[in-house]
Amino acid sequence: MEKLHANNELETKKLAAELAKWLEPGDLILLEGDLGAGKTTFTKGLATGLGIKRVVKSPTYTIIREYLDGRLPLYHMDVYRLEETGGTDLGLEEYFEGEGISIVEWAKFIPEDLPTEYLQVNLQPSGEDLMERDLMFNAVGQHYNELLNNFFKNQ
């Protein structure tokens, strides 16, 4: 597991934008952290890194938001509301196996629907003003290990 620190929202977005440079079609990022930890902020930075111009909003009530205007499509999912039901009937595998980048917030609620390999990013507020964040990166699978190695070599 690798760890980075961001002093504010702008640094969180910059780290995510840098990570976006290394992403490939079909990549899956699982974002974990409490409410307000910066998951959507991270996604906004990633979208910027992919060249997406649209405003990125939390998909809490829509479950999935699609952004198709960047270098790669971005599928932003918030599955918090699926805690009781799971995501079996949503066709998530079509996103995970597609040509875009899938970002899933609260993935712990759909473990049976997830591929076996992914990049997990855990965001934890730190510091007194709660704008600072620790970001822990955990690669599951060879592809994501290589992705993280490339990303951290260039930090």
Side-chain angles (χ1 to χ4, degrees):
M1 184 171 313
E2 301 284 345
K3 182 177 175 180
L4 291 173
H5 181 80
N7 290 308
N8 51 47
E9 284 190 7
L10 181 60
E11 287 186 13
T12 300
K13 288 178 183 177
K14 280 182 157 180
L15 288 171
E18 284 295 314
L19 179 65
K21 295 176 183 177
W22 302 100
L23 297 177
E24 299 175 5
D27 280 351
L28 171 61
I29 300 173
L30 309 182
L31 297 180
E32 295 295 336
D34 293 334
L35 291 171
K39 295 180 295 294
T40 299
T41 298
F42 185 90
T43 303
K44 288 177 181 182
L46 198 88
T48 298
L50 290 172
I52 293 169
K53 304 292 185 213
R54 286 181 44 209
V55 175
V56 172
K57 299 177 185 175
S58 175
T60 300
Y61 298 104
T62 58
I63 300 177
I64 301 171
R65 288 192 185 267
E66 297 181 6
Y67 302 92
L68 307 175
D69 59 328
R71 174 176 70 84
L72 295 167
L74 176 64
Y75 309 118
H76 183 196
M77 305 169 198
D78 182 332
V79 297
Y80 184 81
R81 294 177 51 224
L82 301 179
E83 179 178 11
E84 302 295 324
T85 61
T88 305
D89 297 331
L90 292 178
L92 297 177
E93 65 279 350
E94 292 178 29
Y95 290 100
F96 300 150
E97 296 169 5
E99 293 300 309
I101 306 302
S102 296
I103 293 190
V104 182
E105 297 184 24
W106 302 100
K108 65 184 178 185
F109 294 134
I110 59 162
E112 65 282 347
D113 300 304
L114 296 171
T116 57
E117 296 188 359
Y118 50 82
L119 175 62
Q120 183 177 38
V121 182
N122 190 309
L123 295 100
Q124 295 181 346
S126 63
E128 292 180 20
D129 65 4
L130 298 181
M131 298 311 286
E132 293 183 46
R133 289 177 178 83
D134 289 325
L135 294 84
M136 280 75 60
F137 296 82
N138 182 33
V140 178
Q142 182 62 34
H143 167 71
Y144 295 101
N145 278 308
E146 291 172 11
L147 186 152
L148 268 191
N149 284 337
N150 289 327
F151 171 64
F152 275 92
K153 274 189 227 174
N154 289 281
Q155 288 304 305

PDB file of all heavy atoms in Angstrom, residues 27 40 55 77 98 120 148:
ATOM      1  N   ASP A  27     -10.107   0.284 -16.786  1.00  0.00           N
ATOM      2  CA  ASP A  27      -9.583   0.392 -15.418  1.00  0.00           C
ATOM      3  C   ASP A  27     -10.707   0.677 -14.424  1.00  0.00           C
ATOM      4  O   ASP A  27     -11.683   1.367 -14.740  1.00  0.00           O
ATOM      5  CB  ASP A  27      -8.512   1.477 -15.322  1.00  0.00           C
ATOM      6  CG  ASP A  27      -7.159   1.001 -15.817  1.00  0.00           C
ATOM      7  OD1 ASP A  27      -6.996  -0.218 -16.069  1.00  0.00           O
ATOM      8  OD2 ASP A  27      -6.255   1.843 -15.956  1.00  0.00           O
ATOM      9  N   THR A  40     -15.730  12.445  -4.134  1.00  0.00           N
ATOM     10  CA  THR A  40     -16.168  13.162  -5.329  1.00  0.00           C
ATOM     11  C   THR A  40     -15.127  14.195  -5.739  1.00  0.00           C
ATOM     12  O   THR A  40     -14.901  14.412  -6.939  1.00  0.00           O
ATOM     13  CB  THR A  40     -17.554  13.794  -5.110  1.00  0.00           C
ATOM     14  OG1 THR A  40     -18.492  12.735  -4.845  1.00  0.00           O
ATOM     15  CG2 THR A  40     -18.017  14.562  -6.333  1.00  0.00           C
ATOM     16  N   VAL A  55     -19.167  19.487 -15.602  1.00  0.00           N
ATOM     17  CA  VAL A  55     -19.103  19.529 -14.147  1.00  0.00           C
ATOM     18  C   VAL A  55     -19.406  18.133 -13.611  1.00  0.00           C
ATOM     19  O   VAL A  55     -20.402  17.509 -13.988  1.00  0.00           O
ATOM     20  CB  VAL A  55     -20.125  20.546 -13.586  1.00  0.00           C
ATOM     21  CG1 VAL A  55     -20.157  20.500 -12.075  1.00  0.00           C
ATOM     22  CG2 VAL A  55     -19.784  21.947 -14.083  1.00  0.00           C
ATOM     23  N   MET A  77     -19.752   5.993 -10.182  1.00  0.00           N
ATOM     24  CA  MET A  77     -20.826   5.273  -9.503  1.00  0.00           C
ATOM     25  C   MET A  77     -20.742   5.501  -8.001  1.00  0.00           C
ATOM     26  O   MET A  77     -19.664   5.482  -7.424  1.00  0.00           O
ATOM     27  CB  MET A  77     -20.703   3.774  -9.775  1.00  0.00           C
ATOM     28  CG  MET A  77     -20.660   3.436 -11.232  1.00  0.00           C
ATOM     29  SD  MET A  77     -20.212   1.713 -11.494  1.00  0.00           S
ATOM     30  CE  MET A  77     -19.735   1.785 -13.210  1.00  0.00           C
ATOM     31  N   GLY A  98     -16.035  -2.335 -20.128  1.00  0.00           N
ATOM     32  CA  GLY A  98     -16.124  -1.425 -21.262  1.00  0.00           C
ATOM     33  C   GLY A  98     -14.818  -0.698 -21.544  1.00  0.00           C
ATOM     34  O   GLY A  98     -13.755  -1.031 -21.010  1.00  0.00           O
ATOM     35  N   GLN A 120      -7.692   0.405  -5.383  1.00  0.00           N
ATOM     36  CA  GLN A 120      -8.493   0.964  -4.294  1.00  0.00           C
ATOM     37  C   GLN A 120      -7.785   2.203  -3.753  1.00  0.00           C
ATOM     38  O   GLN A 120      -6.569   2.186  -3.524  1.00  0.00           O
ATOM     39  CB  GLN A 120      -8.673  -0.054  -3.179  1.00  0.00           C
ATOM     40  CG  GLN A 120      -9.555   0.446  -2.049  1.00  0.00           C
ATOM     41  CD  GLN A 120      -9.761  -0.616  -0.994  1.00  0.00           C
ATOM     42  OE1 GLN A 120      -8.848  -1.361  -0.670  1.00  0.00           O
ATOM     43  NE2 GLN A 120     -10.957  -0.693  -0.455  1.00  0.00           N
ATOM     44  N   LEU A 148       0.397   1.739 -10.447  1.00  0.00           N
ATOM     45  CA  LEU A 148       0.842   2.477  -9.251  1.00  0.00           C
ATOM     46  C   LEU A 148       2.339   2.741  -9.280  1.00  0.00           C
ATOM     47  O   LEU A 148       2.776   3.828  -8.899  1.00  0.00           O
ATOM     48  CB  LEU A 148       0.485   1.718  -7.976  1.00  0.00           C
ATOM     49  CG  LEU A 148      -0.842   2.033  -7.322  1.00  0.00           C
ATOM     50  CD1 LEU A 148      -0.922   1.410  -5.942  1.00  0.00           C
ATOM     51  CD2 LEU A 148      -1.149   3.505  -7.271  1.00  0.00           C
TER      52      LEU A 148
END
